[in-house]
Structure formats: C-alpha cells, structure tokens
C-alpha cells in the first residue's frame, strides 16, 4: 500500500477515535448498541444449523429426526428490543383486539419432535429421547449479569450440535439468553417517572370514555369479561368500542412512545454497564454464524 494511503487511513481512524472519545465513548462502546440489536434479532440460520447438526447426529445413531421449523419471534424491533405491535384505531374499530390477546390460555401444542416421538413404539421412543437429549440433565450452567441463571444439557445430539455450532454449550446459553435477560429487565421502565405519568394520563383518558382501566393490559382483561363462556370467535361491539378507546387514548398520551423511550434509556444504561459482556457475546454470535455457513 502507498505510504500516503496508509497515512490517510491512519488519520481517518484517529479522527473516528477522537470523535468517539469526544462524545464520551470508546470506539467499542459506540458499536455496542448495534451489536446488541443483532443479538436480539438472532438470525434464523443458527436454529436451522442446529437442527441440521442434530439430524446428522441422530442419523449416525440410526434414528430419524423430523424436520423442524426454526422458532421465530414475530414481535417487531422497537429500538434495541422487541415489543408488541401498536394498536391501530382503524384496525381495532373493525376487528377489536388481536385474536391472540383474547384467546384463553391453552395447553401448548406438541411440536414435530414430540409428535414424531409419540408415533414410535415405547422402547424405540425411549432410545430416541436418550440419543437426542442424553441422560446428563442440565449439567451446564451460566450466570449472566444480575445473577440471571441459564442451564442446558451438554449430552445427546442436541448438546453435540450446540457444542459444534457455538464452541460450547456455555457459549450457546450466553448467546441465546443475554437478550432475554435484558428483555425481561426492561419491565423496570414502568417505574420511570415519565412512564408513570403517561399511565396516569391514559387512565384519565379512559375514564372520560367510561372505563376504569389503569393500563392497556387492564383494558384487554376487561374485554375478556365480555365473553362469559370464554369463547370469542369474533369481536363483539363492546370489545370493539373498548379497543378503539384504548388505541385512541394510547395515541393521545403518547404512551407507547414514552415507554419505548424509557426502555431505550434503561437498555442503553445496561449496555454501558455491561459493555465487555455484550462485546464478547457478539463475537460468539459471529463465530457461530461462520460455523453455520459451513456445509
């Protein structure tokens, strides 16, 4: 490389470093939020690779592993975390609340792995699960910031796949659960003074519409009482009227925007306090993605 070009690149690097320092951030700290966002929006290729490696291991043991679709979180990214999609007045006016909000709690349906295992004779089913999960139990444990515990098994074909893909089961647990840790702790944003003020304004707005609901969750809970037998195939007029008031009051007091801003402030403080952990976890994610692309 010509000397002047090398000097030019060095100058640019120096300017970037000085700019970051001037803003009170190291160059690494400046990119931590973007790295964390990628951890939250973890690519589906990782789950697909884990399933592929698990199936290969099961095949080598003479067992079939059914095709499994990678689970996806369909909530939209709001800043650095995922959150519920906003209520749209034009939608709830016609359809009420989203169906999944109004559906009563159900026993989770069995996935393709359990469904396939149930179709096997008892002795083969036992061997299937032994090969898949091993017999060691959750023998690997990590403790993330805030004493957040996560554990998983290192044995069986699932453990083998995770070791190959992430380098270790500890690495898998860190990549998988660090975003979940922050997502759960983000509820602390509800104690933010501006968010509390927004909830108070929301309750007052709903009261003018004739509803005693302190939060949007209270409004949804009220809507479920409109169906005494617990069955709701289609939104009724009372639900639609309530949902419309809910959506309009949230918009009027800017509840969603104010809470999202508080969550963002909380998350960025957490990232600043745990910069080294996030950076290391991001590097683990990148290494796993490189491994996932191998044939």
């Amino acid at each position: 490389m010509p000397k002047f070009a090398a000097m030019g690149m060095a100058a640019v690097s120096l300017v970037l470093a000085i700019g970051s320092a001037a803003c009170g951030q190291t160059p690494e700290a400046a990119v931590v939020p973007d790295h964390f966002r990628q951890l939250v929006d973890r690519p589906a290729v990782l789950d697909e690779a884990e399933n592929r490696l698990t199936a290969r291991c099961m095949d080598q043991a003479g067992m079939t592993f059914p095709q499994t679709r990678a689970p996806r979180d369909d909530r939209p990214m709001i800043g650095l975390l995922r959150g519920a999609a906003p209520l749209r007045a034009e939608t709830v006016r016609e359809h009420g609340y989203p169906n999944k909000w109004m559906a009563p709690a159900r026993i989770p349906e069995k996935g393709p792995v359990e469904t396939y295992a149930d179709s096997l004779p008892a002795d083969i089913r036992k061997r299937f699960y032994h090969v898949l999960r091993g017999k060691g139990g959750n023998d690997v444990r990590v403790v993330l910031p805030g004493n957040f515990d996560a554990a998983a098994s290192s044995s069986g074909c699932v453990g083998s796949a995770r070791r190959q893909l992430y380098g270790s089961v500890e690495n898998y647990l860190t990549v998988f659960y660090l975003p979940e840790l922050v997502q759960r702790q983000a509820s602390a944003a509800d104690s933010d003074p501006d968010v509390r003020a927004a909830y108070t304004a929301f309750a007052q707005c709903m009261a003018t519409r004739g509803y005693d609901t302190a939060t949007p969750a209270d409004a949804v809970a009220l809507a479920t009482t409109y169906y005494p037998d617990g069955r709701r195939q289609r939104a009724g007029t009372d639900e639609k009227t309530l949902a419309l008031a809910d959506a309009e009051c949230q918009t009027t007091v800017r509840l969603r925007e104010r809470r999202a801003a508080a969550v963002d402030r909380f998350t960025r403080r957490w990232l600043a306090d745990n910069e080294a952990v996030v950076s290391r976890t991001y590097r683990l994610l990148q290494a796993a993605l490189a491994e996932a692309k191998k044939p």
Side-chain angles (χ1 to χ4, degrees):
M1 178 182 293
K3 183 176 180 180
F4 71 86
M7 292 175 60
M9 292 179 65
V12 170
S13 298
L14 179 61
V15 170
L16 290 174
I18 292 174
S20 295
C23 294
Q25 289 184 315
T26 65
E28 180 69 17
V31 298
V32 163
D34 183 60
H35 288 173
F36 179 73
R37 187 180 290 107
Q38 292 181 57
L39 286 165
V40 174
D41 196 22
R42 191 168 52 96
V45 66
L46 289 176
D47 293 313
E48 294 165 356
E50 181 180 325
N51 288 336
R52 183 174 67 253
L53 292 170
T54 300
R56 187 178 301 170
C57 173
M58 294 291 285
D59 182 66
Q60 291 171 351
M63 304 294 294
T64 298
F65 186 70
Q67 288 189 341
T68 305
R69 178 176 296 180
R72 299 308 300 160
D73 189 338
D74 60 359
R75 293 175 300 169
M77 291 292 295
I78 301 174
L80 297 172
L81 295 173
R82 292 190 180 276
L87 287 179
R88 304 291 185 188
E90 58 273 20
T91 300
V92 299
R93 182 183 287 110
E94 296 295 327
H95 305 289
Y97 287 113
N99 290 335
K100 61 183 177 182
W101 292 10
M102 298 296 293
R106 296 180 299 177
I107 298 175
E109 297 180 1
K110 291 184 178 180
V113 174
E114 290 77 12
T115 299
Y116 170 74
D118 286 348
S119 71
L120 301 173
D123 57 333
I124 299 179
R125 184 188 315 126
K126 182 178 180 179
R127 181 169 181 267
F128 174 86
Y129 279 124
H130 174 74
V131 174
L132 180 66
R133 301 172 179 170
K135 60 178 181 180
N138 291 338
D139 60 324
V140 177
R141 174 174 172 262
V142 298
V143 181
L144 299 175
N147 291 320
F148 184 94
D149 284 311
S153 173
S154 64
S155 61
C157 285
V158 172
S160 173
R162 290 170 177 172
R163 292 197 309 273
Q164 182 174 340
L165 184 60
Y166 293 90
S168 71
V169 175
E170 290 90 344
N171 290 348
Y172 158 77
L173 289 169
T174 302
V175 171
F176 190 88
Y177 282 106
L178 188 71
E180 177 65 19
L181 157 64
V182 183
Q183 190 86 43
R184 292 184 187 184
Q185 291 188 345
S187 60
D190 286 334
S191 63
D192 180 88
D194 187 59
V195 175
R196 290 201 303 269
Y199 278 127
T200 298
F202 172 81
Q204 293 170 345
C205 178
M206 292 294 284
T208 65
R209 309 289 187 95
Y211 299 108
D212 182 16
T213 51
T215 67
D218 290 344
V220 175
L222 175 60
T224 62
T225 67
Y226 296 156
Y227 308 96
D229 61 358
R231 290 180 295 180
R232 181 267 209 185
Q233 299 298 326
R234 182 177 300 177
T237 300
D238 288 343
E239 179 193 333
K240 293 177 183 179
T241 303
L242 169 58
L244 179 60
D246 183 357
E248 291 179 341
C249 282
Q250 286 194 48
T251 299
T252 297
V253 305
R254 300 181 62 253
L255 176 58
R256 178 181 172 82
E257 294 86 350
R258 292 162 75 178
R259 189 177 187 281
V263 168
D264 191 69
R265 288 193 297 272
F266 170 86
T267 304
R268 289 181 184 277
R269 284 197 300 268
W270 189 94
L271 293 179
D273 292 340
N274 297 277
E275 176 185 320
V277 174
V278 175
S279 296
R280 174 180 175 273
T281 306
Y282 174 76
R283 290 193 293 270
L284 295 177
L285 173 71
Q286 294 304 306
L289 286 172
E291 184 67 29
K293 296 175 182 177
K294 294 180 180 179

